[in-house]
Amino acid sequence: MSLLISLPESMGPRALCSALLDLEPEMKIVTGHENVQNPDEVEFAVVWNHPEGLLLNYPNLKAISSYGHGADGLLADSKLPEGIPLVRLTNETMAEWMSEYLLAVVLLQRRQLLQHAENPNFIEWGIAARHPGNQLSILGLGYLGKAAAKVFLKNGFEVAGWSRTPKQVEGVSSFSGNDGLTEMLKSTDYLVNLLPLTTETTDLLNTETLSKLKRGAYLINVGRGQTLVEEDLIPLLDDGQLSGACLDVFRTEPLAEEHPFRKHKKILITPHNSSSTPADSVAPQILENYKRAVSGRQLLNQVDLTHGY
Ligand code: GLV
């Protein structure tokens, strides 16, 4: 019986294989679905951007793991085997990297360092350039959102969070529902999107919602590209409603070379790398879920199909 790793080269399938073998040298692992010789043997699959319908090939599959925090890539496959549980990863290192990225972007913006890089004379010599706003609001108070909230609280920000259901997070003002969103946005200086992609979060950030932000607020999207209505962003930036945006995720990735976001001075683009999946760090969780799946035990981080994450 075996574990299948089906990941794009860029995600390091062999690094995951060796991290798992370091933990369990006897384990049978197939790296690359094209290398599966006996589909009956595959009991657990770790996938990212897998071909649609691939997972129907393994009649003895017990569980499928996303090789990331999000499960939307898995759920986008309309030909998933029925009744097979899906899991995703939560990991401290992934959360640390995400929080570090967010803090770096917010501080760059707060001290206007990119403007200095572009034009060292943009402000008078000796005058501190510092955005006065201090409220950072996080859409999505799950594992990553909570970790980021802690980091911003430690750095002196006022932190608010919005989630599907109200959450109790120490030091964080918690909001939920449509009215809660409006309430939170109106005092927000920095808005961070960490929401999973679901039918409810698709297109949530649009002209109407982003116009509710404090004028001159800054947007950071590290959740999913589909949450932002892309064509609404540039007019909001040009009119000054938003002072800038940092985008790590896009509706279509990689972002097309000719996409207007690439040329806009107020948009900072990164290539979906605000965080990453570190093989050594996630291998124990994958191994644990593999063991639980083959012995029919409750899995860690199982995807709730009703809510889509
Ligand atoms: C990355 O986008 C992830 O879901 O881990």
Side-chain angles (χ1 to χ4, degrees):
M1 287 301 169
S2 64
L3 177 146
L4 165 66
I5 298 174
S6 176
L7 305 178
E9 272 309 305
S10 59
M11 293 195 88
R14 274 169 294 281
L16 175 60
C17 179
S18 50
L20 287 166
L21 289 175
D22 283 347
L23 297 170
E24 197 90 350
E26 303 299 315
M27 198 169 170
K28 186 155 183 228
I29 301 176
V30 183
T31 305
H33 54 264
E34 62 288 355
N35 297 321
V36 174
Q37 281 169 5
N38 185 356
D40 289 352
E41 287 193 351
V42 176
E43 282 190 304
F44 191 94
V46 183
V47 298
W48 188 263
N49 281 351
H50 66 282
E52 182 155 70
L54 173 79
L55 298 154
L56 290 173
N57 294 327
Y58 313 115
N60 293 314
L61 204 54
K62 307 277 188 303
I64 305 163
S65 176
S66 163
Y67 194 54
H69 194 73
D72 49 298
L74 263 181
L75 295 168
D77 182 348
S78 64
K79 295 180 195 141
L80 281 177
E82 227 167 275
I84 304 299
L86 311 177
V87 296
R88 60 194 184 90
L89 302 175
T90 55
N91 175 268
E92 215 172 300
T93 309
M94 287 163 97
E96 273 168 21
W97 289 13
M98 177 60 83
S99 301
E100 176 181 82
Y101 172 101
L102 293 172
L103 184 63
V105 172
V106 168
L107 295 182
L108 265 185
Q109 172 64 10
R110 167 181 260 188
R111 300 307 306 266
Q112 302 183 17
L113 295 177
L114 293 179
Q115 287 91 323
H116 283 85
E118 208 180 293
N119 172 16
N121 297 322
F122 101 104
I123 193 158
E124 223 178 297
W125 196 264
I127 303 294
R130 191 170 190 269
H131 195 287
N134 203 42
Q135 179 165 321
L136 180 122
S137 301
I138 303 174
L139 298 169
L141 274 184
Y143 191 85
L144 298 178
K146 283 184 193 149
K150 252 194 210 161
V151 167
F152 281 101
L153 284 170
K154 234 195 228 162
N155 280 275
F157 287 83
E158 281 161 44
V159 181
W162 184 80
S163 42
R164 190 175 50 79
T165 51
K167 298 253 167 80
Q168 294 282 338
V169 183
E170 206 185 326
V172 176
S173 317
S174 170
F175 296 87
S176 63
N178 286 340
D179 292 348
L181 183 60
T182 302
E183 192 56 28
M184 182 180 83
L185 292 178
K186 71 181 192 210
S187 48
T188 296
D189 298 292
Y190 301 93
L191 181 67
V192 172
N193 176 42
L194 267 168
L195 289 166
L197 178 63
T198 67
T199 45
E200 279 155 44
T201 64
T202 300
D203 295 340
L204 180 76
L205 299 177
N206 53 43
T207 304
E208 191 190 336
T209 46
L210 294 172
S211 299
K212 293 177 177 165
L213 283 162
K214 230 191 214 181
R215 193 161 174 82
Y218 190 82
L219 170 70
I220 306 176
N221 190 11
V222 282
R224 285 292 182 261
Q226 287 82 348
T227 297
L228 173 67
V229 177
E230 290 191 342
E231 56 276 24
D232 288 1
L233 181 64
I234 290 182
L236 290 162
L237 291 166
D238 289 347
D239 139 275
Q241 166 58 15
L242 294 178
S243 56
C246 171
L247 308 174
D248 186 51
V249 289
F250 304 89
R251 293 184 96 96
T252 304
E253 295 185 16
L255 186 66
E257 281 308 318
E258 64 282 4
H259 197 289
F261 284 174
R262 289 197 183 271
K263 286 187 222 96
H264 202 284
K265 281 204 149 86
K266 292 184 178 171
I267 301 179
L268 176 62
I269 285 169
T270 54
H272 199 147
N273 66 358
S274 50
S275 188
S276 180
T277 306
D280 285 342
S281 178
V282 297
Q285 189 177 134
I286 291 174
L287 181 62
E288 176 63 24
N289 261 339
Y290 172 66
K291 289 181 175 168
R292 288 176 179 228
V294 295
S295 60
R297 283 178 292 139
Q298 178 68 47
L299 300 168
L300 305 173
N301 303 318
Q302 188 164 339
V303 177
D304 175 343
L305 298 178
T306 331
H307 295 121
Y309 61 93

